[in-house]
Amino acid sequence: MAENSIVLGMADLMVVSAPIKLVTLGLGSCIGLVVYDTLARVAGMAHIMLPDSRGLKTSEKVGKFADTAVPALIEEMLRKGAARPRIKAKIAGGAQMFSLPGASAEFLTVGAKNVAETKRRLHALGIAVIASDTGGNKGRTIEFSTSNWMLKVKTLGKGINEI
Amino acid sequence: MIGSPDTPSFNDRQLDAIREAGNIGTGNAATALSGLLSRRINMDVPKTELVSIYELAEHYGDPLQTVGAVFVRSTGGFQCSLIFIQPEQDAQLMVQLLLQNQFGGSAIPAGEIPQEIYDSALGEVGNIVLSSFLNAINLLLGTQHQISVPGTAHDMLASILDVVASIYGQLGETALLVNTELSAEGLEDGRRISGHIIMIPDPESLSLLLRKLKVI
């Protein structure tokens, strides 16, 4: 069956029922988090920008921060019929686009912090990360298929990695 | 204080003052680039723009477009981050022109320049453009500054702009961009080299700029 694609923008968060392809374009330091339950045939994606909301106003999009996106995504999965023990996660993104030798520019390493915080939050909810393609210094475009539950990761000059 | 942390707001006089600082910086950057390439450089009037951090890539073009980018961090009295960003083919053409200009002889086809040399030359041009921009602004403000080694990247526009989104994302949902475009003319086949300078001032440096320009 043909899958229609939904493209998620920065800080978007969405849960869908199969068959739909979830896509997000040009992840740099951001994270593409995918969670799915193959039995309930539901899948969710979040385009996470930063690790920690640090109590910033909740008027902002919940998908923006790892600490708010992970619980919101799992909650939405459960609402759409997923069962928590069956939910699995895949992660891509979290690159460091620039490195400045010798300069103290902590904000350039936000990608690694996004990966660590997303994993920590998933672990706290008992969700297993079964595959990931993170880090490095290249951007990624990702597509998650709800027909074979595979995450296609496209990197400029490196081709496609399916995880 | 410039607005509240999550909703930066500026009056027209403040936006004008920030733009004027950008204008002075860009003029100096254009002169430097012109000297490097031995070509006339056009600059457009800089804009001060408030853009949603969720729509940064769309603001500049196709999110999947490949771009060449140089990033530097400036510390001292006026702290900021700066990016010089160009369509990849423009960056290649610029490096080609630079190498031809500096070492003479005929043009090396862009594809035959070793990646390492290409990157290092691109980083150096970006460094000179951005340093010139910063020198003018620091002179205007009477501040001292130090500039980092340049970092270069070639990637999708959206991935590169994650850097800008993550800096502003920690403060709120709006990015203040001091935005300007430079372009070289007098190239063969009517080809064009263009590039954007994006300045991202730290919040306290923005306050300093507005104080010094007497609009706060």
Side-chain angles (χ1 to χ4, degrees), chain A residues 10-11 25-30 49-50 54 56-57 60 64 97-101 103 107 110 138-141 156, chain B residues 6 53-54 64 66 69 71 73 81 148-151 153-156 158-160 162-163 165-167 169-170 172-173:
Chain A
M10 298 274 258
L25 309 173
L27 292 166
S29 57
C30 291
M49 297 170 62
L50 291 162
R54 288 179 298 197
L56 275 176
K57 284 226 183 77
E60 301 203 43
K64 181 177 174 185
M97 301 310 295
F98 295 97
S99 42
L100 310 180
F107 57 86
V110 69
K138 300 301 283 178
R140 296 168 172 91
T141 284
L156 204 69
Chain B
D6 53 352
I53 55 167
Y54 307 122
L64 294 180
T66 309
F71 184 97
R73 175 83 190 142
S81 303
S148 74
V149 172
H154 311 272
D155 218 309
M156 293 171 276
S159 305
I160 300 281
D162 266 9
V163 174
S166 61
I167 293 173
Q170 296 183 344
E173 301 190 285

Side-chain angles (χ1 to χ4, degrees), chain B residues 15-16 18-20 22-24 26-27 42-49 133 177-183 196-197:
Chain B
L15 288 174
D16 275 351
I18 300 165
R19 187 178 62 217
E20 190 45 32
N23 203 13
I24 290 165
T26 309
N42 296 321
M43 56 177 269
D44 67 354
V45 179
K47 292 190 194 108
T48 311
E49 299 171 302
F133 185 97
L177 304 172
V178 181
N179 223 330
T180 185
E181 189 175 6
L182 297 173
S183 58
H196 277 281
I197 297 173

Side-chain angles (χ1 to χ4, degrees), chain A residues 88-143:
Chain A
K88 294 185 173 66
K90 294 183 179 185
I91 301 179
Q96 178 172 352
M97 301 310 295
F98 295 97
S99 42
L100 310 180
S104 64
E106 213 192 307
F107 57 86
L108 291 176
T109 60
V110 69
K113 290 176 196 140
N114 283 338
V115 174
E117 188 61 19
T118 301
K119 286 188 172 169
R120 204 174 72 78
R121 295 281 167 178
L122 287 166
H123 183 75
L125 295 173
I127 310 293
V129 177
I130 60 158
S132 61
D133 182 342
T134 59
N137 59 5
K138 300 301 283 178
R140 296 168 172 91
T141 284
I142 60 167
E143 287 180 18

Side-chain angles (χ1 to χ4, degrees), chain B residues 113-165:
Chain B
I113 300 171
Q115 187 68 33
E116 230 169 275
I117 293 181
Y118 171 46
D119 265 355
S120 140
L122 181 63
E124 225 24 72
V125 180
N127 196 16
I128 288 166
V129 167
L130 298 176
S131 301
S132 309
F133 185 97
L134 278 169
N135 285 342
I137 289 189
N138 281 282
L139 196 64
L140 173 75
L141 300 179
T143 41
Q144 301 278 325
H145 70 291
Q146 276 189 313
I147 184 165
S148 74
V149 172
T152 60
H154 311 272
D155 218 309
M156 293 171 276
L157 177 63
S159 305
I160 300 281
L161 291 176
D162 266 9
V163 174
V164 181

Side-chain angles (χ1 to χ4, degrees), chain B residues 1 204-216:
Chain B
M1 187 61 207
E204 57 275 21
S205 296
L206 197 53
S207 303
L208 174 79
L209 186 130
L210 296 178
R211 268 203 315 279
K212 293 260 186 179
L213 298 178
K214 303 198 170 22
V215 287
I216 195 170

Side-chain angles (χ1 to χ4, degrees), chain A residues 15-113:
Chain A
V15 173
V16 297
S17 296
I20 280 190
K21 193 174 277 182
L22 292 168
V23 178
T24 196
L25 309 173
L27 292 166
S29 57
C30 291
I31 297 281
L33 165 64
V34 168
V35 290
Y36 60 98
D37 176 344
T38 57
L39 198 71
R41 299 185 57 75
V42 292
M45 186 183 269
H47 183 148
I48 298 168
M49 297 170 62
L50 291 162
D52 189 356
S53 61
R54 288 179 298 197
L56 275 176
K57 284 226 183 77
T58 48
S59 65
E60 301 203 43
K61 296 188 179 198
V62 286
K64 181 177 174 185
F65 301 102
D67 67 334
T68 52
V70 174
L73 191 60
I74 300 305
E75 214 171 286
E76 187 60 21
M77 287 285 288
L78 300 180
R79 225 186 335 256
K80 289 250 164 79
R84 190 188 296 244
R86 288 197 307 258
I87 298 177
K88 294 185 173 66
K90 294 183 179 185
I91 301 179
Q96 178 172 352
M97 301 310 295
F98 295 97
S99 42
L100 310 180
S104 64
E106 213 192 307
F107 57 86
L108 291 176
T109 60
V110 69
K113 290 176 196 140

